[in-house]
Amino acid sequence: MFKRDVKSLADILQTVLRKEGFETPLLQKRLIASWDAVVGPTVARYTGDKFIKNQTLFVKILNPALRQDLSMMRQKLVQRLNSKVGSFIISDIKFY
């Protein structure tokens, strides 16, 4: 009899995404989408554009006082966002 290498669909999808180069953009999209859940609805209300460039998350904050408070919590936010996604995606956050 033949021995078949049975793999789960999740493993196959993960392999295909990694091989085609879509894994990192997908994780970056998930990280940006999880911003509102990590910081909460109050901070999310004052958040503008968000994008990732060179492992740095750039976030536009509309309130200057809130921008200063968040800049003091940068490392904690980086850890929370990376743990929410389950992978090391960003290494720093810049608020503008």
Side-chain angles (χ1 to χ4, degrees), residues 33-71:
S34 67
W35 171 261
D36 293 346
V38 170
V39 297
T42 307
V43 175
R45 214 177 12 208
Y46 293 105
T47 301
D49 297 333
K50 302 176 286 280
F51 63 93
I52 297 176
K53 184 176 180 181
N54 296 333
Q55 289 189 336
T56 302
L57 175 64
F58 291 88
V59 181
K60 183 172 186 174
I61 302 295
L62 305 174
N63 187 338
L66 181 61
R67 185 182 314 129
Q68 184 63 31
D69 289 344
L70 289 175
S71 67

mmCIF file of all heavy atoms in Angstrom, residues 33-71:
data_model
loop_
_atom_site.group_PDB
_atom_site.id
_atom_site.type_symbol
_atom_site.label_atom_id
_atom_site.label_comp_id
_atom_site.label_asym_id
_atom_site.label_seq_id
_atom_site.Cartn_x
_atom_site.Cartn_y
_atom_site.Cartn_z
ATOM 1 N N ALA A 33 -4.994 45.981 10.960
ATOM 2 C CA ALA A 33 -6.403 45.795 11.309
ATOM 3 C C ALA A 33 -6.598 45.598 12.809
ATOM 4 O O ALA A 33 -7.653 45.930 13.353
ATOM 5 C CB ALA A 33 -6.979 44.616 10.542
ATOM 6 N N SER A 34 -5.584 45.075 13.497
ATOM 7 C CA SER A 34 -5.718 44.828 14.926
ATOM 8 C C SER A 34 -5.393 46.056 15.779
ATOM 9 O O SER A 34 -5.492 45.997 16.999
ATOM 10 C CB SER A 34 -4.831 43.654 15.346
ATOM 11 O OG SER A 34 -3.478 43.999 15.214
ATOM 12 N N TRP A 35 -4.995 47.164 15.155
ATOM 13 C CA TRP A 35 -4.662 48.389 15.897
ATOM 14 C C TRP A 35 -5.826 48.829 16.785
ATOM 15 O O TRP A 35 -5.652 49.129 17.957
ATOM 16 C CB TRP A 35 -4.275 49.497 14.921
ATOM 17 C CG TRP A 35 -4.121 50.842 15.553
ATOM 18 C CD1 TRP A 35 -5.046 51.847 15.565
ATOM 19 C CD2 TRP A 35 -2.998 51.330 16.289
ATOM 20 N NE1 TRP A 35 -4.555 52.928 16.250
ATOM 21 C CE2 TRP A 35 -3.301 52.631 16.710
ATOM 22 C CE3 TRP A 35 -1.770 50.786 16.640
ATOM 23 C CZ2 TRP A 35 -2.429 53.412 17.452
ATOM 24 C CZ3 TRP A 35 -0.890 51.562 17.385
ATOM 25 C CH2 TRP A 35 -1.221 52.842 17.782
ATOM 26 N N ASP A 36 -7.042 48.866 16.233
ATOM 27 C CA ASP A 36 -8.200 49.332 16.995
ATOM 28 C C ASP A 36 -8.480 48.443 18.204
ATOM 29 O O ASP A 36 -8.837 48.941 19.268
ATOM 30 C CB ASP A 36 -9.440 49.385 16.104
ATOM 31 C CG ASP A 36 -9.322 50.446 15.020
ATOM 32 O OD1 ASP A 36 -8.417 51.298 15.112
ATOM 33 O OD2 ASP A 36 -10.142 50.416 14.083
ATOM 34 N N ALA A 37 -8.299 47.146 18.058
ATOM 35 C CA ALA A 37 -8.547 46.233 19.174
ATOM 36 C C ALA A 37 -7.491 46.370 20.262
ATOM 37 O O ALA A 37 -7.802 46.233 21.446
ATOM 38 C CB ALA A 37 -8.588 44.791 18.670
ATOM 39 N N VAL A 38 -6.253 46.655 19.886
ATOM 40 C CA VAL A 38 -5.163 46.752 20.862
ATOM 41 C C VAL A 38 -5.235 48.058 21.644
ATOM 42 O O VAL A 38 -5.083 48.068 22.863
ATOM 43 C CB VAL A 38 -3.791 46.598 20.162
ATOM 44 C CG1 VAL A 38 -2.654 46.936 21.101
ATOM 45 C CG2 VAL A 38 -3.627 45.185 19.631
ATOM 46 N N VAL A 39 -5.473 49.173 20.962
ATOM 47 C CA VAL A 39 -5.449 50.466 21.648
ATOM 48 C C VAL A 39 -6.796 50.855 22.241
ATOM 49 O O VAL A 39 -6.858 51.721 23.102
ATOM 50 C CB VAL A 39 -4.942 51.598 20.720
ATOM 51 C CG1 VAL A 39 -3.522 51.350 20.312
ATOM 52 C CG2 VAL A 39 -5.855 51.794 19.543
ATOM 53 N N GLY A 40 -7.880 50.255 21.789
ATOM 54 C CA GLY A 40 -9.191 50.568 22.328
ATOM 55 C C GLY A 40 -9.938 51.586 21.481
ATOM 56 O O GLY A 40 -9.351 52.274 20.645
ATOM 57 N N PRO A 41 -11.240 51.722 21.726
ATOM 58 C CA PRO A 41 -12.068 52.589 20.875
ATOM 59 C C PRO A 41 -11.781 54.080 21.047
ATOM 60 O O PRO A 41 -11.926 54.854 20.103
ATOM 61 C CB PRO A 41 -13.493 52.254 21.298
ATOM 62 C CG PRO A 41 -13.369 51.665 22.651
ATOM 63 C CD PRO A 41 -12.035 50.990 22.703
ATOM 64 N N THR A 42 -11.359 54.496 22.219
ATOM 65 C CA THR A 42 -11.095 55.923 22.444
ATOM 66 C C THR A 42 -9.907 56.402 21.635
ATOM 67 O O THR A 42 -9.968 57.443 20.972
ATOM 68 C CB THR A 42 -10.853 56.190 23.941
ATOM 69 O OG1 THR A 42 -11.939 55.667 24.696
ATOM 70 C CG2 THR A 42 -10.715 57.659 24.208
ATOM 71 N N VAL A 43 -8.822 55.658 21.675
ATOM 72 C CA VAL A 43 -7.633 56.029 20.907
ATOM 73 C C VAL A 43 -7.889 55.833 19.413
ATOM 74 O O VAL A 43 -7.430 56.632 18.589
ATOM 75 C CB VAL A 43 -6.408 55.217 21.370
ATOM 76 C CG1 VAL A 43 -5.194 55.504 20.514
ATOM 77 C CG2 VAL A 43 -6.114 55.506 22.827
ATOM 78 N N ALA A 44 -8.642 54.805 19.065
ATOM 79 C CA ALA A 44 -8.931 54.527 17.659
ATOM 80 C C ALA A 44 -9.704 55.676 17.012
ATOM 81 O O ALA A 44 -9.578 55.930 15.815
ATOM 82 C CB ALA A 44 -9.710 53.232 17.529
ATOM 83 N N ARG A 45 -10.486 56.395 17.799
ATOM 84 C CA ARG A 45 -11.250 57.526 17.282
ATOM 85 C C ARG A 45 -10.339 58.665 16.826
ATOM 86 O O ARG A 45 -10.663 59.401 15.908
ATOM 87 C CB ARG A 45 -12.187 58.032 18.386
ATOM 88 C CG ARG A 45 -13.476 58.543 17.890
ATOM 89 C CD ARG A 45 -14.405 58.962 18.992
ATOM 90 N NE ARG A 45 -13.763 59.037 20.305
ATOM 91 C CZ ARG A 45 -14.387 58.854 21.446
ATOM 92 N NH1 ARG A 45 -15.653 58.565 21.458
ATOM 93 N NH2 ARG A 45 -13.755 58.951 22.588
ATOM 94 N N TYR A 46 -9.181 58.816 17.451
ATOM 95 C CA TYR A 46 -8.231 59.871 17.111
ATOM 96 C C TYR A 46 -7.116 59.389 16.186
ATOM 97 O O TYR A 46 -6.114 60.075 16.015
ATOM 98 C CB TYR A 46 -7.600 60.450 18.389
ATOM 99 C CG TYR A 46 -8.591 61.183 19.246
ATOM 100 C CD1 TYR A 46 -9.072 60.612 20.410
ATOM 101 C CD2 TYR A 46 -9.045 62.445 18.882
ATOM 102 C CE1 TYR A 46 -9.992 61.278 21.206
ATOM 103 C CE2 TYR A 46 -9.960 63.124 19.667
ATOM 104 C CZ TYR A 46 -10.435 62.537 20.827
ATOM 105 O OH TYR A 46 -11.349 63.192 21.603
ATOM 106 N N THR A 47 -7.291 58.218 15.602
ATOM 107 C CA THR A 47 -6.282 57.636 14.721
ATOM 108 C C THR A 47 -6.650 57.894 13.269
ATOM 109 O O THR A 47 -7.794 57.711 12.873
ATOM 110 C CB THR A 47 -6.168 56.120 14.960
ATOM 111 O OG1 THR A 47 -5.814 55.906 16.318
ATOM 112 C CG2 THR A 47 -5.119 55.506 14.078
ATOM 113 N N GLY A 48 -5.657 58.299 12.493
ATOM 114 C CA GLY A 48 -5.851 58.524 11.062
ATOM 115 C C GLY A 48 -5.238 57.394 10.255
ATOM 116 O O GLY A 48 -5.508 56.220 10.493
ATOM 117 N N ASP A 49 -4.378 57.756 9.318
ATOM 118 C CA ASP A 49 -3.751 56.773 8.434
ATOM 119 C C ASP A 49 -2.761 55.892 9.194
ATOM 120 O O ASP A 49 -2.099 56.338 10.116
ATOM 121 C CB ASP A 49 -2.994 57.480 7.308
ATOM 122 C CG ASP A 49 -3.930 58.286 6.420
ATOM 123 O OD1 ASP A 49 -5.109 57.914 6.334
ATOM 124 O OD2 ASP A 49 -3.467 59.277 5.832
ATOM 125 N N LYS A 50 -2.669 54.644 8.739
ATOM 126 C CA LYS A 50 -1.713 53.687 9.300
ATOM 127 C C LYS A 50 -1.071 52.946 8.137
ATOM 128 O O LYS A 50 -1.758 52.508 7.229
ATOM 129 C CB LYS A 50 -2.417 52.684 10.209
ATOM 130 C CG LYS A 50 -3.165 53.297 11.361
ATOM 131 C CD LYS A 50 -3.923 52.247 12.151
ATOM 132 C CE LYS A 50 -5.135 51.728 11.481
ATOM 133 N NZ LYS A 50 -6.334 52.504 11.528
ATOM 134 N N PHE A 51 0.267 52.802 8.189
ATOM 135 C CA PHE A 51 0.960 52.001 7.186
ATOM 136 C C PHE A 51 2.277 51.504 7.764
ATOM 137 O O PHE A 51 2.778 52.048 8.753
ATOM 138 C CB PHE A 51 1.190 52.777 5.879
ATOM 139 C CG PHE A 51 2.067 53.987 6.011
ATOM 140 C CD1 PHE A 51 3.429 53.895 5.791
ATOM 141 C CD2 PHE A 51 1.535 55.217 6.366
ATOM 142 C CE1 PHE A 51 4.250 55.014 5.910
ATOM 143 C CE2 PHE A 51 2.338 56.337 6.476
ATOM 144 C CZ PHE A 51 3.698 56.231 6.250
ATOM 145 N N ILE A 52 2.814 50.463 7.143
ATOM 146 C CA ILE A 52 4.066 49.857 7.590
ATOM 147 C C ILE A 52 5.106 50.034 6.496
ATOM 148 O O ILE A 52 4.841 49.765 5.327
ATOM 149 C CB ILE A 52 3.884 48.359 7.905
ATOM 150 C CG1 ILE A 52 2.907 48.182 9.060
ATOM 151 C CG2 ILE A 52 5.222 47.708 8.230
ATOM 152 C CD1 ILE A 52 2.579 46.746 9.379
ATOM 153 N N LYS A 53 6.291 50.509 6.921
ATOM 154 C CA LYS A 53 7.414 50.658 5.991
ATOM 155 C C LYS A 53 8.685 50.303 6.747
ATOM 156 O O LYS A 53 8.970 50.876 7.793
ATOM 157 C CB LYS A 53 7.483 52.095 5.484
ATOM 158 C CG LYS A 53 8.549 52.314 4.444
ATOM 159 C CD LYS A 53 8.489 53.726 3.916
ATOM 160 C CE LYS A 53 9.561 53.920 2.864
ATOM 161 N NZ LYS A 53 9.544 55.288 2.361
ATOM 162 N N ASN A 54 9.448 49.350 6.222
ATOM 163 C CA ASN A 54 10.713 48.906 6.822
ATOM 164 C C ASN A 54 10.553 48.491 8.286
ATOM 165 O O ASN A 54 11.294 48.934 9.154
ATOM 166 C CB ASN A 54 11.788 49.994 6.697
ATOM 167 C CG ASN A 54 12.141 50.286 5.272
ATOM 168 O OD1 ASN A 54 12.013 49.428 4.410
ATOM 169 N ND2 ASN A 54 12.570 51.499 5.010
ATOM 170 N N GLN A 55 9.596 47.663 8.565
ATOM 171 C CA GLN A 55 9.294 47.135 9.896
ATOM 172 C C GLN A 55 8.972 48.228 10.905
ATOM 173 O O GLN A 55 9.159 48.051 12.102
ATOM 174 C CB GLN A 55 10.438 46.274 10.428
ATOM 175 C CG GLN A 55 10.577 44.960 9.728
ATOM 176 C CD GLN A 55 11.576 44.069 10.419
ATOM 177 O OE1 GLN A 55 12.464 44.523 11.133
ATOM 178 N NE2 GLN A 55 11.421 42.769 10.234
ATOM 179 N N THR A 56 8.493 49.371 10.432
ATOM 180 C CA THR A 56 8.071 50.453 11.303
ATOM 181 C C THR A 56 6.622 50.794 10.977
ATOM 182 O O THR A 56 6.289 51.022 9.814
ATOM 183 C CB THR A 56 8.950 51.701 11.104
ATOM 184 O OG1 THR A 56 10.304 51.348 11.361
ATOM 185 C CG2 THR A 56 8.542 52.815 12.047
ATOM 186 N N LEU A 57 5.795 50.822 11.995
ATOM 187 C CA LEU A 57 4.396 51.189 11.829
ATOM 188 C C LEU A 57 4.277 52.691 11.999
ATOM 189 O O LEU A 57 4.675 53.243 13.022
ATOM 190 C CB LEU A 57 3.528 50.470 12.868
ATOM 191 C CG LEU A 57 2.046 50.835 12.901
ATOM 192 C CD1 LEU A 57 1.364 50.434 11.604
ATOM 193 C CD2 LEU A 57 1.365 50.174 14.082
ATOM 194 N N PHE A 58 3.743 53.368 10.981
ATOM 195 C CA PHE A 58 3.512 54.803 11.027
ATOM 196 C C PHE A 58 2.028 55.025 11.266
ATOM 197 O O PHE A 58 1.192 54.505 10.517
ATOM 198 C CB PHE A 58 3.942 55.472 9.714
ATOM 199 C CG PHE A 58 5.421 55.462 9.496
ATOM 200 C CD1 PHE A 58 6.044 54.394 8.860
ATOM 201 C CD2 PHE A 58 6.192 56.523 9.918
ATOM 202 C CE1 PHE A 58 7.408 54.389 8.651
ATOM 203 C CE2 PHE A 58 7.566 56.529 9.724
ATOM 204 C CZ PHE A 58 8.168 55.460 9.088
ATOM 205 N N VAL A 59 1.709 55.799 12.306
ATOM 206 C CA VAL A 59 0.319 56.037 12.677
ATOM 207 C C VAL A 59 0.105 57.538 12.817
ATOM 208 O O VAL A 59 0.854 58.215 13.518
ATOM 209 C CB VAL A 59 -0.036 55.336 14.014
ATOM 210 C CG1 VAL A 59 -1.485 55.567 14.373
ATOM 211 C CG2 VAL A 59 0.268 53.858 13.949
ATOM 212 N N LYS A 60 -0.938 58.040 12.165
ATOM 213 C CA LYS A 60 -1.276 59.456 12.290
ATOM 214 C C LYS A 60 -2.242 59.612 13.458
ATOM 215 O O LYS A 60 -3.325 59.020 13.466
ATOM 216 C CB LYS A 60 -1.917 59.975 11.006
ATOM 217 C CG LYS A 60 -2.225 61.440 11.063
ATOM 218 C CD LYS A 60 -2.672 61.963 9.736
ATOM 219 C CE LYS A 60 -2.822 63.471 9.833
ATOM 220 N NZ LYS A 60 -3.113 64.054 8.532
ATOM 221 N N ILE A 61 -1.836 60.405 14.444
ATOM 222 C CA ILE A 61 -2.672 60.676 15.621
ATOM 223 C C ILE A 61 -3.121 62.132 15.529
ATOM 224 O O ILE A 61 -2.295 63.037 15.385
ATOM 225 C CB ILE A 61 -1.893 60.417 16.928
ATOM 226 C CG1 ILE A 61 -1.393 58.979 16.977
ATOM 227 C CG2 ILE A 61 -2.750 60.730 18.139
ATOM 228 C CD1 ILE A 61 -2.459 57.930 17.050
ATOM 229 N N LEU A 62 -4.421 62.354 15.645
ATOM 230 C CA LEU A 62 -4.989 63.678 15.441
ATOM 231 C C LEU A 62 -4.903 64.578 16.675
ATOM 232 O O LEU A 62 -5.032 65.785 16.556
ATOM 233 C CB LEU A 62 -6.445 63.532 14.993
ATOM 234 C CG LEU A 62 -6.650 62.649 13.751
ATOM 235 C CD1 LEU A 62 -8.130 62.457 13.475
ATOM 236 C CD2 LEU A 62 -5.939 63.229 12.554
ATOM 237 N N ASN A 63 -4.664 64.009 17.844
ATOM 238 C CA ASN A 63 -4.606 64.775 19.084
ATOM 239 C C ASN A 63 -3.152 64.819 19.566
ATOM 240 O O ASN A 63 -2.564 63.777 19.859
ATOM 241 C CB ASN A 63 -5.502 64.116 20.131
ATOM 242 C CG ASN A 63 -5.627 64.924 21.390
ATOM 243 O OD1 ASN A 63 -4.788 65.753 21.691
ATOM 244 N ND2 ASN A 63 -6.697 64.657 22.129
ATOM 245 N N PRO A 64 -2.549 66.018 19.698
ATOM 246 C CA PRO A 64 -1.137 66.106 20.095
ATOM 247 C C PRO A 64 -0.844 65.543 21.485
ATOM 248 O O PRO A 64 0.200 64.917 21.688
ATOM 249 C CB PRO A 64 -0.846 67.606 20.055
ATOM 250 C CG PRO A 64 -1.896 68.204 19.208
ATOM 251 C CD PRO A 64 -3.090 67.327 19.330
ATOM 252 N N ALA A 65 -1.744 65.730 22.429
ATOM 253 C CA ALA A 65 -1.519 65.192 23.773
ATOM 254 C C ALA A 65 -1.538 63.670 23.765
ATOM 255 O O ALA A 65 -0.714 63.017 24.419
ATOM 256 C CB ALA A 65 -2.569 65.726 24.736
ATOM 257 N N LEU A 66 -2.459 63.111 23.011
ATOM 258 C CA LEU A 66 -2.538 61.651 22.892
ATOM 259 C C LEU A 66 -1.308 61.112 22.168
ATOM 260 O O LEU A 66 -0.787 60.052 22.530
ATOM 261 C CB LEU A 66 -3.806 61.263 22.144
ATOM 262 C CG LEU A 66 -4.049 59.783 21.950
ATOM 263 C CD1 LEU A 66 -4.184 59.077 23.293
ATOM 264 C CD2 LEU A 66 -5.289 59.561 21.115
ATOM 265 N N ARG A 67 -0.821 61.842 21.182
ATOM 266 C CA ARG A 67 0.393 61.434 20.454
ATOM 267 C C ARG A 67 1.575 61.321 21.406
ATOM 268 O O ARG A 67 2.359 60.375 21.344
ATOM 269 C CB ARG A 67 0.705 62.445 19.356
ATOM 270 C CG ARG A 67 1.854 62.054 18.472
ATOM 271 C CD ARG A 67 2.171 63.093 17.410
ATOM 272 N NE ARG A 67 0.993 63.574 16.725
ATOM 273 C CZ ARG A 67 0.693 64.870 16.555
ATOM 274 N NH1 ARG A 67 1.493 65.807 17.024
ATOM 275 N NH2 ARG A 67 -0.383 65.221 15.916
ATOM 276 N N GLN A 68 1.699 62.272 22.325
ATOM 277 C CA GLN A 68 2.789 62.251 23.301
ATOM 278 C C GLN A 68 2.645 61.070 24.263
ATOM 279 O O GLN A 68 3.628 60.398 24.581
ATOM 280 C CB GLN A 68 2.828 63.572 24.083
ATOM 281 C CG GLN A 68 3.970 63.673 25.044
ATOM 282 C CD GLN A 68 5.320 63.645 24.356
ATOM 283 O OE1 GLN A 68 5.461 64.105 23.234
ATOM 284 N NE2 GLN A 68 6.301 63.094 25.021
ATOM 285 N N ASP A 69 1.428 60.818 24.722
ATOM 286 C CA ASP A 69 1.195 59.686 25.629
ATOM 287 C C ASP A 69 1.508 58.353 24.945
ATOM 288 O O ASP A 69 2.114 57.463 25.551
ATOM 289 C CB ASP A 69 -0.244 59.678 26.130
ATOM 290 C CG ASP A 69 -0.530 60.793 27.111
ATOM 291 O OD1 ASP A 69 0.438 61.378 27.646
ATOM 292 O OD2 ASP A 69 -1.722 61.082 27.343
ATOM 293 N N LEU A 70 1.097 58.219 23.700
ATOM 294 C CA LEU A 70 1.345 56.970 22.982
ATOM 295 C C LEU A 70 2.824 56.781 22.668
ATOM 296 O O LEU A 70 3.310 55.643 22.634
ATOM 297 C CB LEU A 70 0.528 56.923 21.689
ATOM 298 C CG LEU A 70 -0.972 56.732 21.854
ATOM 299 C CD1 LEU A 70 -1.659 56.829 20.506
ATOM 300 C CD2 LEU A 70 -1.297 55.427 22.534
ATOM 301 N N SER A 71 3.532 57.876 22.452
ATOM 302 C CA SER A 71 4.956 57.737 22.151
ATOM 303 C C SER A 71 5.727 57.206 23.354
ATOM 304 O O SER A 71 6.764 56.564 23.198
ATOM 305 C CB SER A 71 5.546 59.064 21.678
ATOM 306 O OG SER A 71 5.546 60.005 22.729
#
